């Protein structure tokens, strides 16, 4: 029977620091609602979220229950804070600072993970270090070399899970060759299998708490967007509509899906959990979290102009952010096999169709349309689930 392992307060503290990067990315995108700005946000967050996932796996298997581990985790928090502070200029003057902060994040991660995997940590620590060095070197350049080096960093990240699974596959480490501790690291149990020995409850709870905090950042964006404007009936109504969109997205994940996800991971064999975790909580969660940040940027630019025609940037950000969330949520459901996706897929298409409402009517009408689409999808899905239960 799997030992229960829940999220500690230090891990939640760590998440609060990490989510500051989402705040910074929202500000960065709000200041440059263009394809270039969106591309930078995607690159930065994808690189950072890779190591967030690394720390989620780390504390799952190396819990911060000792003084040395707690101190090391706090050092990593400080390094993530440096990265977050450098986000606005990560593709410019702050690139080197961002890269050095990220390098420290990677080094602390690798050092702590040796307590679980010994020398086997090299198979994912080395690619992570090379990724951090690529981002650091990018800070010394301008123009296309910067994007090329960031793309190299992404390539290294995407290749790492494949390397871990193949190089440490059974038989590759010479299971017959050694005894004792070295033999266990080399062949007794592979790194891939050890990574699969994660606690299902901890994994799901950790990412659920992260999602809650990111939702909170989208609420803060409403307040930032209002700023010093007088609290009129229109602005209050717009804030309520923006909150209703966020609440609908919360409902889609936390009312049912989170519990079913934990059941699926608990029933999955350890050798398959690592791959399943990568698909569900990295590749599927990327558009979910980026979508919230994009929607928050759209709200920030819209909330003070609800009665006006929106420019293309804010209108696309509002609809595109929700659509990205839905796309990631659909992928999450399909990967885990935990529910139908047809109503959410239909909602994704209808959400994108709200862009003209914002541009040709006003921002308030687009927010109303988004709420109607999401609530309609949830109601239709709820009725379908109820009918299936009766049958």
């Amino acid at each position: 029977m799997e030992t229960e392992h829940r999220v500690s307060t230090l891990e939640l503290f760590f998440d609060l620091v990490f989510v500051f990067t989402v705040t910074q990315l929202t500000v960065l995108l709000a200041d440059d609602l263009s394809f270039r700005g969106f591309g930078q946000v995607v690159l930065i967050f994808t690189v950072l979220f890779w190591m967030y996932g690394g720390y989620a796996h780390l504390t799952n298997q190396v819990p911060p229950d000792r003084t040395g581990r707690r101190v090391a985790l706090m050092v990593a928090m400080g390094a993530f804070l440096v990265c977050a502070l450098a986000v606005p200029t990560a593709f410019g003057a702050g690139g080197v600072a961002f890269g050095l902060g990220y390098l420290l994040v990677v080094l602390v991660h690798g050092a702590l993970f040796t307590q679980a995997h010994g020398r086997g940590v090299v198979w994912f620590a080395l690619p992570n270090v090379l990724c951090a060095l690529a981002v650091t070197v990018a800070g010394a350049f301008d123009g296309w070399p910067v994007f090329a080096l960031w793309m190299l960093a992404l390539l290294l990240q995407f290749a790492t899970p494949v390397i871990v699974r193949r190089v440490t596959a059974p038989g590759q480490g010479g299971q017959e060759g050694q005894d004792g501790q070295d033999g266990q690291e080399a062949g007794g149990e592979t790194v891939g299998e050890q990574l699969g020995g994660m606690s299902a409850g901890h994994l799901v709870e950790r990412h659920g708490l992260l999602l809650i905090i990111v939702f909170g950042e989208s609420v803060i964006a409403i307040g930032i967007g209002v700023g010093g404007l007088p609290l009129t009936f229109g602005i209050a109504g717009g804030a309520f509509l923006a909150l209703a969109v966020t609440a609908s997205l919360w409902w889609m994940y936390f009312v049912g899906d989170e519990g079913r996800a934990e059941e699926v991971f608990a029933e999955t064999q350890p050798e398959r959990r690592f791959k399943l975790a990568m698909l569900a909580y990295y590749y599927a969660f990327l558009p979910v979290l980026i979508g919230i940040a994009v929607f928050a940027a759209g709200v920030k630019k819209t909330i003070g102009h609800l009665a006006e025609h929106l420019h293309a940037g804010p209108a696309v950000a509002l609809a595109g952010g929700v659509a990205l969330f839905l796309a990631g949520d659909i992928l999450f459901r399909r990967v885990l096999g935990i529910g139908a996706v047809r109503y959410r897929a239909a909602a994704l298409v209808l959400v994108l169709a709200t862009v003209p409402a914002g541009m040709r009517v006003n921002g308030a009408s687009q927010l109303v349309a988004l709420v109607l689409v999401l609530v309609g999808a949830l109601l239709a899905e709820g009725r379908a689930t109820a009918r299936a239960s009766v049958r």
Side-chain angles (χ1 to χ4, degrees), residues 165 192-193 196-197 268-275:
R165 288 199 303 270
E193 290 170 338
T268 301
Q269 295 299 314
E271 61 269 19
R272 293 189 61 247
R273 281 189 190 176
F274 175 59
K275 181 178 180 180

Side-chain angles (χ1 to χ4, degrees), residues 3-11 58-74 112 115-116 202:
T3 303
E4 186 177 14
H5 176 200
R6 312 313 293 189
V7 177
S8 67
T9 55
L10 181 57
E11 292 170 85
L58 169 67
T59 54
N60 191 297
Q61 299 188 325
V62 186
D65 53 3
R66 304 173 191 174
T67 300
R69 294 177 182 179
R70 294 186 185 114
V71 171
L73 202 59
M74 289 179 179
L112 282 173
Q115 298 184 33
H202 179 276

Side-chain angles (χ1 to χ4, degrees), residues 25-210:
L25 289 170
T26 299
V27 173
L28 177 63
L29 183 59
D31 291 339
D32 183 14
L33 279 174
S34 65
F35 286 112
R36 177 185 175 86
F38 177 71
Q40 290 181 353
V41 166
V42 170
L43 284 173
I44 294 171
F45 186 73
T46 302
V47 167
L48 288 174
F49 188 56
W50 169 259
M51 283 312 302
Y52 172 83
Y55 274 87
H57 283 83
L58 169 67
T59 54
N60 191 297
Q61 299 188 325
V62 186
D65 53 3
R66 304 173 191 174
T67 300
R69 294 177 182 179
R70 294 186 185 114
V71 171
L73 202 59
M74 289 179 179
V75 171
M77 289 164 58
F80 262 123
L81 182 61
V82 170
C83 292
L85 292 171
V87 159
T89 56
F91 283 79
V96 173
F98 181 97
L100 292 175
Y102 191 69
L103 180 60
L104 182 55
V105 167
V106 167
L107 292 174
V108 173
H109 176 265
L112 282 173
F113 239 141
T114 59
Q115 298 184 33
H117 305 304
R119 290 175 297 180
V121 73
V122 70
W123 295 114
F124 53 87
L126 181 58
N128 287 341
V129 169
L130 293 175
C131 169
L133 291 175
V135 172
T136 305
V137 173
F141 291 92
D142 294 314
W144 68 265
V146 178
F147 286 93
L149 286 165
W150 276 81
M151 292 303 298
L152 174 61
L154 290 188
L155 181 62
L156 288 166
Q157 289 183 347
F158 294 152
T160 299
V162 179
I163 293 172
V164 170
R165 288 199 303 270
R166 292 186 178 181
V167 178
T168 65
Q172 296 294 324
Q175 186 169 349
E176 309 82 15
Q178 299 185 49
D179 296 320
Q181 181 64 28
D182 289 345
Q184 184 178 8
E185 289 176 11
E189 186 180 30
T190 70
V191 174
E193 290 170 338
Q194 290 173 350
L195 286 170
M198 64 188 74
S199 164
H202 179 276
L203 180 76
V204 175
E205 182 184 18
R206 182 74 187 273
H207 287 85
L209 290 172
L210 172 68

Side-chain angles (χ1 to χ4, degrees), residues 22 26-27 29-30 214-215 217-222 225 246 290-302 317-318 321-322:
V22 179
T26 299
V27 173
L29 183 59
V214 174
F215 276 137
E217 292 300 307
S218 71
V219 175
I220 292 172
I222 298 173
T246 301
I290 292 174
I292 296 172
V294 172
F295 174 73
V299 169
K300 185 173 180 290
K301 301 295 287 187
T302 301
L318 289 175
V322 175

Side-chain angles (χ1 to χ4, degrees), residues 6-26:
R6 312 313 293 189
V7 177
S8 67
T9 55
L10 181 57
E11 292 170 85
L12 185 57
F13 187 17
F14 182 96
D15 292 354
L16 288 169
V17 174
F18 171 77
V19 170
F20 179 51
T21 62
V22 179
T23 304
Q24 292 286 79
L25 289 170
T26 299

Side-chain angles (χ1 to χ4, degrees), residues 200-201 203-205 207-208 211 215 248-266 276 280-281 284-285 288 325-345 378 381-382 385:
L203 180 76
V204 175
E205 182 184 18
H207 287 85
L211 187 55
F215 276 137
S248 299
L249 300 180
W250 170 89
W251 196 290
M252 287 186 167
Y253 178 80
F254 285 101
V255 180
D257 283 9
E258 186 184 38
R260 288 193 290 269
E262 183 171 346
E263 293 173 2
V264 170
F265 274 101
L276 191 64
Y281 284 114
F285 246 52
V288 165
F325 181 98
L326 291 171
D329 180 68
I330 289 168
L331 178 58
F332 182 83
R333 281 191 150 206
R334 293 300 297 270
V335 164
L336 297 179
I338 58 175
V341 300
R342 60 183 180 275
Y343 294 109
R344 302 187 183 201
L378 287 170
E381 191 173 87
T385 302

